[in-house]
Amino acid sequence: MAILIKNGTLVTPEGLEKGDLLIDGETIAAMGPDISAPNAQVIDATDQMVLPGGLDAHTHFELPNPTGDSADDFYSGGCSALAGGTTTVIDFIAPDRGESLLKARERWVPKTEKASVDYSFHMNMPEFNARVAEEMKILAQREGVSSFKTFTAYWPTLGIRDYDILNILKVSGEVGGLVTMHAENGDIVEALQREFIAQGKTAPKYHPLTRPPFVEGEAVARGLALAKAAHQPLYIVHISTKDGLEALTRARMDGQVVYGETCPQYLALDDSCYDAPGFEAAAFVMSPPPRPKGHQEALLNGLSAGLIDTCATDHCPYRMDTQKIAGINNFTKIPNGAPTIEHRLGILHTLGIATGKMTWTRLVDAWATAPAKIFDLYPKKGVLKVGSDADICVFDPRQTEILSVKTHHSRNDRCVFEGFEQKGKTTLTIQRGRIAWRNGELTAQRGFGRFLPRCK
Ligand code: URP
Ligand code: ZN
Ligand code: ZN
């Protein structure tokens, strides 16, 4: 049955427009004032915002770790996404070093059979050699996996040398891909970790002290220098510091094509989260960590000004009871990551729109349109446009919600935004024409999510 959303405020790249939106099957069929469709299911959106469904370009569902996979799979993570208005994710295939990238891609297929949101993939790049170069070509040109994540930290599993990053950038350019980067100086992190552990400083509160802000600033600048040397664009993931933002902006002003991403945890949390009593601070062990006060405002301003392009989540929920506990005597053994996918829009609205620091058009750009463009999913995804997939989020700015582990839809046993007073709430999420969330009721469907190949 067709669905007609009436009297909402539609947010499109052109601006805000009061009107209706008609969905026929899986696509947006019409937008404008006074649309009538006699047989459609009518949903009233008076005084509510009508946005494209969110595109979260950075998630880790079922990500392997020595303590077990991250707690959300492609179904439960998708449910958590849908409850917050996100309808598409780009997750990561994580090959072991030495493993064929194509084999790893096959290994990820069964995980996605239960997907409740549409999904695409980035490929982690734990090494570079001739076989990897050949596989990058096949991935980008045949398999639709055209973005490659490099790491300058996480020795000895994921981090690679600058020389290898340079080669990955060059090959990516040849095959029509885009390189992304986790930018932290891994050697400084490792040296500080050894120092802290040797001094008996083993509690989770020491995690952020081994990754001070300049560790990110240096690695972002270095990554961008490599991109410049290779004459290639680069997308920096999860920027958490003013230092990283400044390095990105310098490269932009220098004429480089670069992209930056931040996440809600770096906007809403500061390093006082590590004052949590006992082992509770482990819930906040993620890399990069939430930063000292001041960085949050700089990032929000950068996002608002478009100096940071996207807001993703890096949703990577490791549980306290069975997983983070592995680091009870040594914070370096705590699996890194937190559940954040559900609250991206609510936090952007609370910190950006409700404070008057961001426009709705810019919010929607960071939330859906910019990631869709950067990662070749536009205009199928990321925009309210006739002919685009009917991925819709209706958001009521008047409602409020106190965020809590008791109400979130992730399988994780902590919410890093516990107690946060969110202004506004997602009241309706439609995914490819199907209602998946309405007024607090989740109607997500296991297996409805579809793979989105991305080829130039
Ligand atoms: O702590 C984090 N962010 N874990 C997920 C993996 C990554 O670095 O993005
Ligand atoms: Zn990362
Ligand atoms: Zn990540």
Side-chain angles (χ1 to χ4, degrees), residues 362-374:
R362 178 61 202 126
L363 182 149
V364 164
D365 193 40
W367 155 255
T369 316
K373 286 182 176 169
I374 293 168

Side-chain angles (χ1 to χ4, degrees), residues 53-59 61 81-82 85-91 117-120 341 344 367 377 380-382 389 391 431 450 452:
L55 196 167
D56 189 339
H58 190 156
T59 64
F61 297 156
L82 292 163
T86 291
T87 47
T88 301
V89 302
I90 311 182
D91 208 272
V117 283
D118 287 354
Y119 60 93
S120 194
I341 199 166
R344 183 166 62 116
W367 155 255
L377 290 168
K380 182 179 173 61
K381 300 291 185 190
D389 278 3
D391 294 337
Q431 193 198 4
R450 215 179 260 166
L452 301 164

Side-chain angles (χ1 to χ4, degrees), residues 282-359:
F284 301 94
V285 169
M286 58 185 94
S287 294
R291 301 301 187 174
K293 283 193 176 63
H295 290 273
Q296 301 72 20
E297 194 183 353
L299 294 173
L300 184 70
N301 294 345
L303 187 65
S304 185
L307 297 171
I308 296 177
D309 303 84
T310 67
C311 181
T313 65
D314 197 9
H315 179 84
C316 190
Y318 289 113
R319 289 183 63 94
M320 279 288 266
D321 55 1
T322 53
Q323 301 189 285
K324 298 226 175 211
I325 196 72
I328 186 84
N329 296 318
N330 181 340
F331 70 88
T332 69
K333 306 261 186 283
I334 299 170
N336 283 206
T340 44
I341 199 166
E342 194 162 331
H343 306 309
R344 183 166 62 116
L345 178 57
I347 286 173
L348 283 174
H349 178 258
T350 307
L351 301 178
I353 304 287
T355 57
K357 291 183 176 165
M358 195 180 287
T359 62

Side-chain angles (χ1 to χ4, degrees), residues 58-60 92 149 182 237-238 314 316:
H58 190 156
T59 64
H60 300 281
F92 291 82
K149 185 177 181 189
H182 172 126
V237 301
H238 50 48
D314 197 9
C316 190

Side-chain angles (χ1 to χ4, degrees), residues 211-227:
R211 310 178 107 93
F214 69 86
V215 160
E216 177 174 281
E218 184 280 329
V220 171
R222 184 157 40 96
L224 294 169
L226 294 171

